[in-house]
């Protein structure tokens, strides 16, 4: 035991990669009783006080433990649901993880220290505490450290092994609080909803109508948009369009007022224009303009843009990113950081991409002098750098989905290390009668980052002919145009992720899971966004509109680019609530609760309290009690007004929205 260290990773692939990077000689592989988990034995020279040691490297498969109520509360009808706010919770090793826990305890008996290699985020910290508990059962005198790492590149792994740190107990407590709250709230409200609604009839009698404190606000966003679309009342508008032909170019001047909803007023203003006969050039401006290169990549951006451009949903994007990380191709894909630390050698990362037949020439150009320090965003989670490639991998070594996600990560990285795109904008303003009109032109001069980051679009417009300041001319044509405002589209996955992020619903690591959950529960359905519907909106736009004034009763509210992926988003999915999903949100909203379960406020407040635990300003028990009191108040009122929830189900589930 004198010179042995036990290392435990969060997943088998990480254990294997770390063992291969640390071993100073051969690696012995032993079975553990679990078909996925192996023990890797080798020698490694750690920093003092450990020095040269024998090492056993093994892993878990995510969480070791599960939490549940004591047996007397587990039956659905064993107690009123509100008793679950206070019922005793016990934590045990999951039955399918017992051999893994036993392996850790056995290996700990002959070890002097435990090095935890779980992912360096809140959840990883908590899993590390579970590993620690299992190991201490085998050896109470064990020294416990954790390795801090963000990718599985060899030098980075060896550096992490030489500089271990302590587990962050505050993060452990934050996750423990969240697990307890999710269990209590989920079980209480799920039992309340299910038992209250199953009795209504065949459509619901076999359904478990589950509740989650992140699921319901996520569903609420979808239902809100649904009602905005459904209740939208189009409004007719009128505008004035002026066209002038010069040098065989037709120039369209747009009205400064954009549009008015009063036909007579537009007619009067139009007649004043005609009476004036000539228009005067009141302003000419040419100036340099730029399209900024993207910020370094965060998890939220990866999910949003992946669901836009990569033809897969956010959950699939994250699964592929996790696989690429465990294989050593990209950095840790769960990060809020959108700024690179000054100590990271970005050119060294870039050098590995020069061998690519697709973007290698572009990467070499950056290394030859075109490299620019990436822009720095406002976020730094102090745990992980932005998502970036760690090693080069040939496309034919990846599956199709892996190739697309890896390519996006590389192109984003190269793009953010490039120069902004440069152009020249031209603005011509004219006065016609008493009215102002303008025309704009863009000439793209240097595409720069757009050559490699092909997901952005910035194209030159038709060039404007020459005009002279204060010159007068008679427009070739002037017309009154009319159109109707169009409804917003149904909520898309990128939009939903943005709303969740802005309202603190879930974390960057869990948003995709919450979206998947409301689909799994059949609270929402998805479909490709309709090209016809979008085309109608675009047609209206050409007549001078960007959307309606309100919902009227809605619920508120080149080089390196060879073989480049298409940035078209025709496959973006939109979300439509099912009748049950609609009924649940409307039912709770009709109760007049100060903080409806379909709104984000309660969960947002909970997430803020988790951060207070991490900061050390509040303790776990204090936060749990504060959150439970808020939800208990909502529960009492919901029970008293359950008739409104049933009425909404009658309206939507049984009467298909009628009555």
């Amino acid at each position: 035991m004198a010179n042995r260290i036990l290392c435990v990773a969060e997943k088998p692939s990480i254990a294997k990669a770390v063992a291969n990077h640390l071993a100073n000689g051969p690696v012995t592989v032993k079975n553990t009783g679990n078909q996925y988990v192996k023990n890797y034995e080798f020698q490694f020279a750690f920093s003092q006080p450990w020095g040269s040691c024998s090492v056993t490297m093994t892993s878990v498969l995510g969480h070791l433990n599960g939490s549940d109520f004591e047996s007397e509360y587990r039956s659905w009808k064993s107690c009123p649901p509100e008793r679950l706010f206070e019922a005793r919770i016990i934590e045990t090793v999951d039955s399918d993880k017992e051999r893994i826990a036993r392996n850790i305890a056995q290996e700990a008996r002959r070890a002097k220290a435990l090095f935890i290699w779980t992912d360096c985020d809140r959840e990883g910290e908590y899993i590390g505490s579970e590993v620690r508990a299992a190991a201490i059962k085998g050896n109470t005198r064990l020294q416990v450290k954790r390795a801090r790492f963000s990718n599985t590149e060899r030098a980075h792994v060896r550096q992490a092994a030489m500089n271990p740190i302590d587990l962050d107990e505050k993060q452990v407590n934050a996750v423990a609080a969240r697990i307890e709250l999710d269990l209590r709230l989920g079980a209480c409200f799920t039992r309340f909803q299910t038992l209250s609604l199953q009795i209504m009839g065949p459509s619901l009698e076999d359904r478990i109508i589950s509740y989650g404190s992140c699921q319901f606000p996520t569903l609420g966003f979808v239902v809100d948009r649904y009602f905005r679309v459904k209740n939208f009342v189009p409004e007719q508008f009128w505008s004035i369009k002026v066209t002038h032909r010069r040098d065989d170019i037709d120039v369209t001047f747009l009205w400064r007022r954009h549009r008015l909803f009063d036909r007579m007023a537009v007619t009067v203003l139009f007649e004043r224009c005609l009476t004036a006969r000539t228009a005067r050039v009141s302003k000419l401006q040419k100036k340099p303009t730029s399209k900024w290169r993207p910020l370094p990549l965060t998890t939220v951006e990866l999910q949003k843009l992946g669901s836009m451009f990569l033809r897969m949903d956010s959950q699939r994007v994250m699964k592929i990113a996790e696989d690429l990380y465990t294989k050593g191709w990209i950095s840790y894909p769960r990060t809020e950081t959108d700024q690179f630390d000054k100590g990271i050698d970005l050119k060294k990362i870039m050098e590995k991409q020069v061998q690519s037949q697709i973007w290698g020439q572009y990467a070499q150009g950056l290394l030859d002098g075109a490299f620019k320090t990436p822009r720095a965003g406002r976020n730094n989670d102090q745990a992980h750098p932005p998502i970036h490639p760690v090693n080069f991998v040939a496309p034919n070594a990846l599956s199709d989905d892996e190739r697309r996600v890896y390519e996006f990560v590389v192109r984003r990285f190269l793009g953010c290390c490039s120069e902004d795109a440069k152009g020249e904008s031209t603005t011509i303003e004219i006065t016609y009668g008493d009215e102002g009109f303008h025309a704009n032109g863009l000439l793209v001069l240097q595409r720069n980052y757009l050559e490699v980051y092909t997901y952005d679009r910035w194209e030159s417009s038709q060039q404007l002919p020459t005009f002279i300041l204060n010159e007068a001319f008679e427009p070739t044509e002037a017309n009154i145009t009319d159109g109707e405002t169009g409804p917003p589209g149904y909520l898309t996955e990128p939009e939903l992720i943005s709303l969740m992020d802005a309202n603190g619903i879930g974390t960057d690591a869990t948003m995709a899971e919450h979206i998947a959950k409301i689909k799994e529960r059949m609270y929402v359905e998805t479909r490709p966004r309709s090209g016809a519907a979008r085309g109608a909106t675009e047609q209206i736009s050409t007549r001078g509109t960007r959307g309606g004034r309100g919902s009227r009763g809605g619920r508120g509210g080149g080089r390196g680019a060879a073989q480049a992926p298409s940035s078209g988003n025709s496959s973006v999915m939109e979300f439509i609530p099912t009748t049950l999903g609609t009924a649940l949100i409307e039912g709770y909203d009709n109760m007049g609760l100060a903080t409806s379960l379909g709104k984000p406020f309660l969960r947002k407040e909970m997430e803020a309290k988790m951060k207070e635990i991490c900061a050390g300003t509040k303790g776990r028990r204090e936060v749990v009690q504060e959150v439970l009191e808020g939800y208990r108040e909502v529960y009492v009122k919901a029970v008293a007004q359950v008739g409104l929830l049933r009425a909404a189900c009658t309206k939507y589930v049984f009467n298909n929205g009628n009555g």
Side-chain angles (χ1 to χ4, degrees), residues 550-595:
S551 61
R552 291 288 189 88
R555 301 178 67 243
R559 290 189 309 268
Q563 305 174 43
S566 169
S567 66
N569 59 356
S570 59
S571 62
V572 170
M573 306 300 286
E574 59 185 15
F575 289 76
I576 313 295
T578 62
T579 55
L580 179 57
T582 304
L584 290 171
I585 296 302
E586 184 169 293
Y588 282 117
D589 282 0
N590 287 345
M591 293 178 185
L593 303 170
T595 48

Side-chain angles (χ1 to χ4, degrees), residues 54 236 293 299 318 402 435 477 506 512 583 634:
S54 298
Q236 192 167 12
R293 62 199 187 276
T299 303
M318 289 308 299
E402 288 176 330
E435 298 304 300
E477 187 177 3
V634 171

Side-chain angles (χ1 to χ4, degrees), residues 61-76:
L61 297 171
H63 282 279
L64 272 176
N65 302 342
S67 297
D68 204 349
F69 299 105
E70 290 185 316
S71 57
E72 63 186 281
Y73 297 103
R74 292 178 191 172
S75 169
W76 276 57

Side-chain angles (χ1 to χ4, degrees), residues 299-321 401 404-405 492-494 496-497 511-517 519-520 524-527 571-575:
T299 303
V300 170
E301 282 295 296
L302 176 61
Q303 292 176 85
K304 286 165 55 178
L305 298 176
S307 60
M308 267 187 181
F309 300 132
L310 304 183
R311 302 189 300 280
M312 60 183 86
D313 63 32
S314 58
Q315 188 179 40
R316 179 65 178 163
V317 171
M318 289 308 299
K319 172 63 170 63
I320 296 300
D401 283 354
R404 281 186 278 135
V405 174
T492 64
E493 189 160 10
L496 180 54
I497 292 170
M511 289 178 190
E513 297 172 15
H514 301 315
I515 294 172
K517 187 64 69 175
K519 291 192 287 185
E520 177 188 321
V524 301
E525 295 175 346
T526 59
R527 68 186 186 192
S571 62
V572 170
M573 306 300 286
E574 59 185 15
F575 289 76

Side-chain angles (χ1 to χ4, degrees), residues 434-449:
D434 295 327
E435 298 304 300
F437 299 83
H438 65 273
N440 298 310
L442 171 67
L443 176 62
V444 177
L445 301 174
Q446 300 173 32
R447 290 179 54 78
N448 296 330
Y449 89 90

Side-chain angles (χ1 to χ4, degrees), residues 9-16 29-40 57-62 96-97 99-100 103:
E10 190 170 322
K11 48 186 78 75
S13 56
I14 298 296
K16 182 178 181 180
V29 183
K30 295 183 178 180
N31 293 324
T32 65
N34 181 288
Q35 61 177 320
Y36 303 109
V37 176
K38 307 294 182 184
N39 288 350
Y40 301 90
M57 181 86 209
T58 189
S59 76
V60 291
L61 297 171
D96 60 340
K97 306 290 179 64
R99 288 185 176 181
I100 299 174
N103 176 58

